[in-house]
Amino acid sequence: MNQEEVIQKVAKQVKSKLEGEGSGHDWWHINRVWNNAKHIAEKESESGKDLNMFHIELGALLHDIADYKFHGGDELIGGQVSEQLLKEFNVSKEDIEAVVHIVNNVSFKGELSENKMKSMDGKIVQDADRLDAMGAIGIARCFAYGGYKGGEFHNPDSKAHLNMTKEEYKTNKSTSINHFYEKLLLLKDLMNTKSGKAIAEGRHVYMEQFLEQFFAEWDCTL
Ligand code: ADP
Ligand code: NI
């Protein structure tokens, strides 16, 4: 099986596993991250970066295959499931290792948590995933996730928790509005690539405008 065939087979498996999922990690999130990653990779390779598209595409496709949030906090589960799947398609040990590194280190876990992503390929997937948590789509996902968890979307008595450690972030239950301050508005400054950051700037401004309108409506000043 050539690399393109492996990518298509993995995409098919991921699609059948995550289709219709309701927490904002559905197949369409994966599909957007896959597209974002290819887009950023194209831009970055124009500026001379040596990238491995096989690792980038597989990392994007598998990055949420088994999320720690839905597996009792187990941060290694995504990598293990990915490894198993890639072994079935006879992907080499080196390629599997690179993809597992991406899957295991992609997610944001609190402002104070160190980013352990080492490879440039992984940093591109991370930027692609972060972009999908920003802008209009990020706003939609944030409220979808809040509803899925059954929490309030806003409560003026509940304050955002800033400077959270990984453990605090993992156990924190916040309103959707507080999540903007705990994650979404921080992402712009955490982007790894120049092209990812440029897209993030626009999405950041859009989220700020949304919040301004939201609070004006909440306070009846609009
Ligand atoms: P991603 O797949 O983008 O890494 P996560 O797995 O952290 O994102 O979460 C999925 C989506 O739900 C993201 O858009 C994220 O910002 C949002 N989300 C995560 N935690 C919360 C929360 N406590 N309240 C509202 N939205 C959340
Ligand atoms: Ni994701």
Side-chain angles (χ1 to χ4, degrees), residues 25 29 33 63-64 129 141:
H25 290 91
H29 165 62
V33 172
H63 85 274
D64 276 336
D129 189 35
R141 288 182 73 218

Side-chain angles (χ1 to χ4, degrees), residues 21-85:
E21 207 267 357
S23 74
H25 290 91
D26 58 316
W27 159 251
W28 293 111
H29 165 62
I30 308 303
N31 195 54
R32 289 188 303 269
V33 172
W34 187 18
N35 286 330
N36 285 347
K38 285 190 274 192
H39 178 78
I40 296 172
E42 200 176 306
K43 294 273 172 215
E44 292 299 306
S45 60
E46 277 167 20
S47 61
K49 294 232 167 58
D50 186 22
L51 303 172
N52 184 322
M53 285 313 295
F54 190 49
H55 297 169
I56 291 175
E57 291 195 52
L58 290 179
L61 285 167
L62 291 166
H63 85 274
D64 276 336
I65 192 70
D67 193 296
Y68 74 91
K69 286 199 282 316
F70 307 113
H71 290 85
D74 182 352
E75 291 174 26
L76 298 176
I77 184 87
Q80 287 159 358
V81 173
S82 303
E83 181 173 356
Q84 230 161 23
L85 183 68

Side-chain angles (χ1 to χ4, degrees), residues 90-160:
N90 295 321
V91 173
S92 77
K93 199 164 160 278
E94 292 72 29
D95 287 333
I96 291 180
E97 241 169 62
V99 175
V100 166
H101 174 75
I102 297 177
V103 174
N104 279 344
N105 293 294
V106 74
S107 85
F108 174 88
K109 296 196 194 74
E111 211 178 329
L112 298 182
S113 173
E114 183 198 353
N115 185 5
K116 299 209 175 81
M117 187 71 86
K118 299 281 175 263
S119 65
M120 191 59 212
D121 299 321
K123 288 179 178 174
I124 286 175
V125 175
Q126 199 169 46
D127 277 8
D129 189 35
R130 286 173 173 171
L131 284 179
D132 208 55
M134 303 182 73
I137 286 174
I139 295 171
R141 288 182 73 218
C142 179
F143 289 99
Y145 184 91
Y148 175 82
K149 283 285 186 185
E152 292 172 310
F153 64 80
H154 181 48
N155 180 342
D157 296 331
S158 153
K159 296 283 168 252

